Amino acid sequence: TAGNGNTYLYATDPNTIYGSVQQCTLAANGGISSCTQTASGIVYGTGLAMDAGYAYIGTFNGSSFIVDACTYNNDGSISGCAPTGSGFNNPSFITVNNGYVYVVDEGNGKVSVCTVGTDGALSSCPTSALPGSTHDPNSVVFYDGDAYVDDDYGNLWLALWTAALVR
């Protein structure tokens, strides 16, 4: 899930073949009042993050796992999705921090750290395994300038990215 900070919550559903991104209106009490489909054409949405007018959605296009870069519109809808970046294998979690998009690439057991172009496209996505871990990463969370990655065995790793790579 990802929110725009105000009135909507967005959710992906990897178990839904079509229409797997929902735009939900938040009620005054913080609950969800209604949901509608957005990001037409996204199938098997597996992760979602938003930043600077773009939504990044992990998806399966029928033959391979990809990340789509979509336009985040003023009305809260998501449209104009197109594949971006390359080499992903089940991008299960996506987050944005300090001008980079971080893609947890579950199928490869690594985290890709992508540069974002002015058009929202992802490029230069080097991958890094978790140092000392043979387990697949699940998510990346940033706190106080540090990146923390958890793996599929419940371990939490402090990831130190230098020039977009884990050291």
Side-chain angles (χ1 to χ4, degrees):
T1 62
N4 70 352
N6 294 315
T7 46
Y8 300 111
L9 171 79
Y10 298 86
T12 59
D13 182 358
N15 298 313
T16 303
I17 297 174
Y18 297 103
S20 61
V21 179
Q22 296 293 315
Q23 173 187 350
C24 302
T25 302
L26 296 176
N29 67 1
I32 296 172
S33 64
S34 65
C35 296
T36 58
Q37 178 181 329
T38 190
S40 177
I42 295 292
V43 295
Y44 297 111
T46 57
L48 180 133
M50 303 173 89
D51 187 55
Y54 295 97
Y56 299 96
I57 303 170
T59 186
F60 182 72
N61 70 3
S63 61
S64 62
F65 288 98
I66 60 172
V67 172
D68 275 349
C70 310
T71 302
Y72 174 66
N73 302 301
N74 289 336
D75 65 357
S77 63
I78 298 171
S79 64
C81 299
T84 188
S86 64
F88 303 115
N89 184 8
N90 195 10
S92 60
F93 184 90
I94 303 171
T95 192
V96 180
N97 187 64
N98 202 26
Y100 293 95
V101 172
Y102 296 79
V103 180
V104 172
D105 201 12
E106 190 174 338
N108 289 326
K110 298 181 179 183
V111 176
S112 296
V113 184
C114 303
T115 302
V116 180
T118 56
D119 61 353
L122 303 182
S123 63
S124 181
C125 297
T127 61
S128 298
L130 295 176
S133 175
T134 58
H135 308 301
D136 290 338
N138 287 325
S139 65
V140 178
V141 176
F142 290 88
Y143 177 75
D144 200 23
D146 293 321
Y148 297 90
V149 181
D150 71 320
D151 66 24
D152 57 3
Y153 281 82
N155 298 307
L156 184 64
W157 301 85
L158 173 62
L160 303 172
W161 272 285
T162 301
L165 289 173
V166 175
R167 61 178 166 100

